[in-house]
Amino acid sequence: MVCLSCGKVIEFHQRLSRYIKRNVAEAKDFDIAETEIRVSGYCAECHRGKR
Ligand SMILES: [Zn+2]
């Protein structure tokens, strides 16, 4: 996850990749070799700072 405000990168990729591989692959009968996910938004600090 990338914060659009301060540019901080929060790593969550491994857990989500496992989740997607298990659930999506089963649901769609698709053999996933690689996943690339990009999520952007605002981290907790910037979110709080906005208010
Ligand atoms: Zn931030």
Side-chain angles (χ1 to χ4, degrees):
M1 296 183 285
V2 182
C3 178
L4 294 171
S5 184
C6 69
K8 186 159 76 179
V9 177
I10 301 159
E11 196 59 61
F12 73 112
H13 187 257
Q14 283 195 331
R15 220 169 93 190
L16 191 61
S17 291
R18 262 206 306 273
Y19 176 83
I20 287 171
K21 278 181 183 173
R22 198 176 62 218
N23 289 276
V24 178
E26 273 182 24
K28 303 294 181 189
D29 194 23
F30 190 87
D31 187 16
I32 297 170
E34 198 178 332
T35 53
E36 189 174 346
I37 306 139
R38 187 185 172 88
V39 180
S40 53
Y42 297 97
C43 73
E45 286 166 38
C46 295
H47 182 71
R48 266 199 300 271
K50 280 184 169 301
R51 287 163 188 256

